[in-house]
Amino acid sequence: MSGIESVLQENRLFPPSPATVSAATISGQAAYDALCAEAEKDYAGYWARLARENLLWQKPFTQTLDESNAPFFKWFADGELNVSYNCLERNLQNGNADKVAIIFESDGGEVNKVTYRQLYEKVCQLANGIKSLGYQKGERAIIYMPMSVEAICAMHACARLGLTHSVVFGGFSAKSLQERIVDAHATLVICADEQVRGGKNIPLKPAVEEAFAMGGCEHVRKVIVYQRTGGKVNWDANRDVWMHELAANQATDCAPTWVDAEHPLFILYTSGSTGKPKGVQHSSAGYLLHAMLTMKWTFDIQPNDVFWCTADVGWVTGHTYIAYGPLAVGATQIVFEGIPTYPHSGRFWEMIAKHKASIFYTAPTAIRSLIKASESTPASHPRNYDLSSLRLMGSVGEPINPEAWMWYYENVGGKRCPIVDTWWQTETGGHMITPLPGVHGLKPGSCTMPFPGIAAAIVDETGNDVEKGKGGFLVIKKPWPSMIRAIWGDPERFVKSYYPADFNGKYYLAGDGANRDLDGYFWIMGRIDDVLNVSGHRLGTMEIESALVANPLVAEAAVVGRPDDLTGEAVVAFVVLKQSRPNAEEGQKIAKELREWVGKEIGPIAKPKEIRFGENLPKTRSGKIMRRLLRDLAKGAEITQDISTLENPAILDQLKVAQ
Ligand code: ATP
Ligand code: MG
């Protein structure tokens, strides 16, 4: 077997404008090359320099990289700092105290602006309150809250006291919550009474009680409750504390607890696209360093920018690019409680115009759904809004299909704004492969080049580099500061998942298939588990999906393999049309057309044997397509897998049978 074949050709190239290059922090190819060369020459020295220049250390480190217990690497291990101090006091000291840190917009559209000083005081009051309940450095806190200033304060209050937080997305069920409380052995839960999404109040605290009732959570001593709606809640006076009462009379200063560089800032359970969620453990110093560097270099953040990352703090993107990165670099950012389609699907564009956002970072799933919406409801099309404040846009979470990229580039960015397509993972802490706006020409669908210092490569199953133009396994050849430190409580699974011996054992194995074109650009081809084998050709899912999405009828597509006597595996495509779901007869006609289309775009080998139409696709709660479920559906098997992170279980029935 020789890697994965690449079949889709994409030749469009968008070089950065001279103005973008000259204004950028990393300006021009030579500046990028110089950083890469510095890292090449003295890897530890490069990261040590950046860690000294960017982080505020209570006790400076003397060791940079400790590889003695590989693959459990340590960075800056004898240094001490506090992450919350680095994000808050830093801004009080450097003249940003009265700068707006957060522009919060609620689901219903109310706006609340919080300055760095106000944020600092809120965090300190909550931290003092948590301290008064007897909590100490080293304990774990589960945070189960909606997007809010309070959720960010809760994360920072934990960081300030040396508590390790684990944020659980507010859309997760009581069962998922219970599993995470148990796995993390949490002693504190911070939640809200209810959350508000799309005009509806959705209870949160009852899920906490349900989780407790399932057992195994006896180590939780207190539940701190943020009153979001004032809805009715049950109350256990021994255990439950209102956040506003707890914080009310506390001092507005709280000295940070200094922690080791390697102290676990947080544990975050991955979204579960590929199986049982894993508790990804991150460090303090190395993690924050990468959050800051990527804010400065990828997002090219400038003092007057208004940054908006649409992720939820329940995902890693919301950790690095809402809770920590933007604050550590003193940015003004938008935090949004609601959803992109309420009260109408022009909400994102309306908010960009209203708050004059200059940098906008979202996910392909959101873009695809807004493309579909803007076709069915023309009033929600971005052309109806003044988006002239935008200067840079980003994408994260899945490969972005080239046609979705083009739509985003033309209609949202006005052909003016570079798109940073950032490849990274919960495990990597921050961007790994991404364009830098003042350096790289962009190719729609490519995440382009490694971040300076990141040793990304594509290898075959023996760990040898594949030639340019060929696909293979995406690996990171050297440890980096913001990498995952462990799977919480399961060191063996950590080694098996990321440094498997039967593979090579030396490189971090990302689990994604990728291909590097002749210009050296990286293209993510989908997850290794999803690679198809059709008549001896190993094909990534991404390219066939992108070919389908390039058809004007198609909004979204997912492709999986099904065992086939003749070809080994047959391609089965699940398709969402821009129009509503077709009836059987119409479906057959469109399926025939799409099969031919794929044959023309890619080649006969990639033609789907079967196409099923749905109103949607099964997705994780972070919006990613769950192909592992589609594989079962394609072969007609019962689904017995873990579907705890599935957003829309009802869709499975619709996709079960061929029409
Ligand atoms: P789990 O690991 O539990 O299955 P997950 O991998 O979906 O869940 P994340 O860490 O949020 O959880 O996602 C990382 C993955 O998302 C990457 O491995 C890759 O497959 C995909 N991804 C993220 N950003 C990009 C991007 N810009 N281009 C292509 N793929 C991306
Ligand atoms: Mg993953």
Side-chain angles (χ1 to χ4, degrees):
M1 189 188 78
S2 59
I4 307 164
E5 288 177 43
S6 173
V7 285
L8 192 71
Q9 289 300 318
E10 172 60 61
N11 297 319
R12 288 169 287 198
L13 177 72
F14 298 86
S17 73
T20 304
V21 175
S22 65
T25 304
I26 307 299
S27 173
Q29 187 69 42
Y32 172 82
D33 290 343
L35 289 168
C36 296
E38 182 188 347
E40 185 68 34
K41 193 155 155 252
D42 176 8
Y43 191 67
Y46 168 79
W47 292 113
R49 172 177 74 78
L50 294 168
R52 289 195 184 101
E53 286 174 5
N54 285 281
L55 299 174
L56 303 173
W57 293 92
Q58 171 63 12
K59 178 175 163 237
F61 62 93
T62 62
Q63 312 155 358
T64 303
L65 170 60
D66 176 356
E67 301 184 273
S68 58
N69 189 26
F72 298 92
F73 300 101
K74 290 183 183 159
W75 284 90
F76 321 120
D78 63 343
E80 284 178 16
L81 81 180
N82 180 285
V83 168
S84 174
Y85 178 92
N86 266 270
C87 295
L88 299 174
E89 276 91 333
R90 178 202 299 268
N91 288 298
L92 304 191
Q93 291 155 11
N94 69 7
N96 282 340
D98 297 319
K99 180 173 180 178
V100 172
I102 296 175
I103 303 171
F104 175 76
E105 180 160 323
S106 75
D107 185 72
E110 300 93 326
V111 175
N112 175 25
K113 295 187 182 173
V114 183
T115 65
Y116 273 96
R117 187 192 310 284
Q118 290 166 332
L119 188 64
Y120 167 78
E121 292 182 352
K122 259 179 101 85
V123 167
C124 286
Q125 287 193 306
L126 180 56
N128 283 326
I130 294 173
K131 204 154 59 170
S132 76
L133 299 174
Y135 285 94
Q136 287 179 357
K137 173 175 156 184
E139 295 190 72
R140 261 91 50 217
I142 293 280
I143 298 177
Y144 185 58
M145 294 175 74
M147 285 298 286
S148 51
V149 173
E150 286 70 15
I152 295 169
C153 287
M155 294 166 81
H156 275 270
C158 289
R160 181 157 291 265
L161 300 176
L163 268 61
T164 298
H165 61 67
S166 185
V167 182
V168 178
F169 175 56
F172 278 147
S173 65
K175 180 71 189 147
S176 304
L177 179 64
Q178 184 255 5
E179 284 169 4
R180 287 156 175 75
I181 294 172
V182 172
D183 192 77
H185 202 89
T187 52
L188 172 64
V189 171
I190 309 179
C191 70
D193 53 356
E194 299 184 316
Q195 61 178 329
V196 186
R197 281 169 79 82
K200 292 193 213 71
N201 291 4
I202 307 161
L204 279 178
K205 186 163 186 289
V208 176
E209 279 148 26
E210 244 182 273
F212 288 170
M214 291 171 192
C217 305
E218 294 70 25
H219 31 79
V220 176
R221 303 196 297 276
K222 292 285 176 194
V223 176
I224 299 174
V225 188
Y226 161 52
Q227 191 168 46
R228 168 62 185 89
T229 64
K232 204 178 158 319
V233 288
N234 293 329
W235 205 254
D236 175 340
N238 291 322
R239 186 196 64 198
D240 300 342
V241 191
W242 285 113
M243 185 183 277
H244 58 274
E245 288 178 5
L246 180 68
N249 296 315
Q250 302 291 345
T252 52
D253 282 306
C254 172
T257 300
W258 306 112
V259 299
D260 294 343
E262 283 292 317
H263 180 77
L265 176 64
F266 66 88
I267 303 164
L268 184 62
Y269 291 82
T270 57
S271 68
S273 312
T274 52
K276 185 177 176 286
K278 324 178 246 291
V280 173
Q281 178 190 325
H282 275 287
S283 70
S284 293
Y287 169 78
L288 187 66
L289 173 61
H290 207 63
M292 291 183 73
L293 287 178
T294 48
M295 282 303 301
K296 291 182 178 181
W297 296 356
T298 311
F299 291 125
D300 188 40
I301 192 85
Q302 304 293 339
N304 293 327
D305 274 317
V306 176
F307 178 80
W308 185 15
C309 165
T310 68
D312 190 283
V313 287
W315 316 125
V316 73
T317 307
H319 281 59
T320 309
Y321 300 109
I322 295 178
Y324 294 111
L327 299 180
V329 299
T332 294
Q333 68 172 324
I334 298 170
V335 172
F336 178 40
E337 179 181 41
I339 58 173
T341 49
Y342 177 84
H344 56 81
S345 41
R347 181 77 185 264
F348 274 0
W349 324 132
E350 185 179 71
M351 281 180 60
I352 289 171
K354 175 161 151 198
H355 301 301
K356 303 213 165 14
S358 57
I359 305 176
F360 180 63
Y361 190 35
T362 196
T365 182
I367 296 167
R368 288 188 304 256
S369 76
L370 294 174
I371 295 174
K372 184 171 153 97
S374 71
E375 300 240 344
S376 55
T377 320
S380 73
H381 194 283
R383 75 169 84 87
N384 301 312
Y385 298 88
D386 175 8
L387 305 182
S388 58
S389 58
L390 285 177
R391 67 173 189 90
L392 180 65
M393 308 189 301
S395 170
V396 60
E398 283 183 299
I400 180 164
N401 313 103
E403 287 322 309
W405 191 102
M406 284 305 303
W407 185 92
Y408 191 31
Y409 184 73
E410 289 174 352
N411 296 290
V412 185
K415 301 187 189 166
R416 180 183 77 246
C417 306
I419 298 177
V420 289
D421 177 0
T422 59
W423 177 84
W424 61 296
Q425 309 177 295
T426 306
E427 295 88 339
T428 71
H431 306 154
M432 300 296 280
I433 307 180
T434 176
L436 304 188
V439 177
H440 299 112
L442 307 172
K443 299 187 187 188
S446 166
C447 52
T448 76
M449 297 284 184
F451 192 81
I454 298 298
I458 301 173
V459 300
D460 64 20
E461 65 278 14
T462 58
N464 291 315
D465 286 356
V466 301
E467 287 165 51
K468 273 188 192 160
K470 292 236 165 80
F473 301 88
L474 180 57
V475 297
I476 312 296
K477 290 189 166 179
K478 292 181 190 164
W480 67 100
S482 66
M483 68 187 296
I484 175 176
R485 294 306 196 265
I487 291 180
W488 185 256
D490 198 346
E492 274 165 39
R493 191 171 173 206
F494 168 77
V495 178
K496 231 174 88 195
S497 306
Y498 306 112
Y499 287 90
D502 56 355
F503 181 79
N504 156 309
K506 286 204 307 280
Y507 302 153
Y508 171 85
L509 179 67
D512 286 341
N515 148 47
R516 214 170 174 181
D517 69 19
L518 298 176
D519 298 330
Y521 278 55
F522 282 77
W523 298 80
I524 306 298
M525 300 166 78
R527 294 159 194 281
I528 295 170
D529 300 347
D530 296 333
V531 167
L532 315 176
N533 194 335
V534 184
S535 305
H537 299 273
R538 287 166 55 81
L539 307 174
T541 49
M542 173 59 189
E543 297 178 313
I544 308 177
E545 290 165 5
S546 289
L548 284 163
V549 172
N551 185 288
L553 292 175
V554 176
E556 198 160 26
V559 159
V560 298
R562 175 179 66 201
D564 186 274
D565 291 343
L566 206 63
T567 52
E569 244 177 340
V571 177
V572 179
F574 295 84
V575 169
V576 182
L577 297 177
K578 287 179 186 160
Q579 69 195 53
S580 53
R581 186 170 180 245
N583 63 29
E585 194 187 332
E586 208 188 341
Q588 271 174 15
K589 214 178 99 222
I590 298 175
K592 183 159 175 274
E593 197 179 314
L594 293 180
R595 260 197 298 277
E596 271 155 29
W597 171 272
V598 172
K600 267 212 315 279
E601 290 275 301
I602 298 186
I605 181 87
K607 270 193 188 177
K609 185 142 192 184
E610 190 189 319
I611 297 185
R612 295 186 196 174
F613 297 97
E615 271 147 31
N616 202 344
L617 298 169
K619 291 192 185 143
T620 64
R621 287 174 197 267
S622 55
K624 298 187 195 204
I625 300 168
M626 285 174 100
R627 292 184 190 72
R628 63 183 170 88
L629 300 182
L630 292 174
R631 275 200 295 272
D632 278 356
L633 292 180
K635 62 179 184 223
E638 278 305 311
I639 290 178
T640 53
Q641 314 179 43
D642 182 0
I643 56 163
S644 60
T645 61
L646 177 62
E647 163 85 26
N648 49 350
I651 201 71
L652 297 177
D653 281 334
Q654 199 179 81
L655 298 171
K656 218 176 224 161
V657 282
Q659 271 171 318

